[in-house]
Amino acid sequence: CDIVLRRFGTEGKKAVDWLVTSQGITREDAIQLGEILRNGGLFRNVKGDLPFRDSKDLYAFKVTWLKGGYTSA
């Protein structure tokens, strides 16, 4: 699980930082976008069914493992 998180996950704060910098949106808008994407099933909080937050909470992307590789599900 730890290896999967390093390859396919991030902290909420880092995701918000990236959205603010790369997309030029506010932190509040980045949090709302993160929550929309979480509700859509793109990723989840590793602690359970919790809202997306600008924090050190870890989020793992939804990944399906296949023989010889992986694909996002």
Side-chain angles (χ1 to χ4, degrees):
C1 182
D2 187 44
I3 293 170
V4 171
L5 286 177
R6 281 191 222 151
R7 285 186 67 183
F8 303 107
T10 191
E11 292 177 359
K13 182 182 181 330
K14 289 181 181 178
V16 170
D17 290 344
W18 180 83
L19 286 167
V20 168
T21 302
S22 69
Q23 303 302 309
I25 62 177
T26 66
R27 293 192 85 75
E28 293 78 17
D29 287 344
I31 294 165
Q32 288 179 356
L33 178 57
E35 182 62 5
I36 289 167
L37 295 173
R38 186 194 69 83
N39 282 332
L42 181 62
F43 56 83
R44 65 177 183 83
N45 187 312
V46 299
K47 294 180 183 176
D49 189 24
L50 299 170
F52 181 78
R53 298 187 289 195
D54 184 2
S55 70
K56 291 194 174 211
D57 284 1
L58 292 175
Y59 294 87
F61 293 100
K62 187 173 181 181
V63 173
T64 301
W65 292 97
L66 300 174
K67 184 177 180 180
Y70 63 88
T71 183
S72 53

